[in-house]
Amino acid sequence: MSRTLDALHEKLDKLNKQIEELHRCVREYHVLREDSGLIFNVTKNLVITGTAETYWQGNKRAQFLQEFSKSQSLMSSFVETIGTQIFQINMSIRYLEDKKSDLINQIEAEI
């Protein structure tokens, strides 16, 4: 093989590794989002049940639930951010797939 062809194959191998690593990241982000959403909902239900009027009286309950609501809002933002990350990584994968296609065309032209 020519040095140009060797270099193109090396680029293709690196590109394939990058794409596979990004696919792995997306899979892990999906798991993180699912787990986070589950934990978020279970915690919310348990805390609200656990802070029923019979357990916490008056201002203490209201103050606690207000603070809890703030943390739940942050958690909700976290879960949304994970979704944004998944979208952005998928866009990167599409871009790299296009580059891979261009590289394959270059290799075929060299052969």
Side-chain angles (χ1 to χ4, degrees):
M1 275 194 227
S2 71
R3 289 183 0 187
T4 303
L5 198 52
D6 288 340
L8 290 173
H9 277 288
E10 189 176 319
K11 283 183 182 180
L12 183 60
D13 288 343
K14 286 180 182 179
L15 199 52
N16 281 330
K17 287 177 185 173
Q18 289 175 323
I19 291 169
E20 181 53 39
E21 187 65 20
L22 287 172
H23 279 294
R24 184 188 62 76
C25 290
V26 167
R27 288 189 301 271
E28 290 181 15
Y29 267 119
H30 277 290
V31 170
L32 179 60
R33 182 173 62 179
E34 288 171 23
D35 290 350
S36 297
L38 177 65
I39 292 167
F40 172 76
N41 288 325
V42 168
T43 302
K44 180 179 175 183
N45 291 336
L46 289 172
V47 167
I48 289 172
T49 301
T51 55
E53 287 294 338
T54 56
Y55 300 111
W56 289 54
Q57 298 298 316
N59 290 340
K60 285 184 180 179
R61 179 178 188 272
Q63 184 179 10
F64 175 80
L65 288 177
Q66 183 179 12
E67 290 299 316
F68 183 73
S69 177
K70 288 178 190 175
S71 69
Q72 288 291 290
S73 178
L74 291 173
M75 185 62 178
S76 180
S77 294
F78 173 73
V79 173
E80 289 175 25
T81 300
I82 293 171
T84 301
Q85 285 292 311
I86 291 169
F87 174 78
Q88 290 173 338
I89 293 169
N90 280 328
M91 294 298 290
S92 293
I93 290 170
R94 283 189 210 112
Y95 173 79
L96 292 176
E97 291 286 354
D98 287 344
K99 290 293 183 188
K100 178 181 170 180
S101 179
D102 292 345
L103 198 52
I104 290 171
N105 289 336
Q106 278 185 291
I107 290 171
E108 289 174 352
E110 284 291 321
I111 297 174

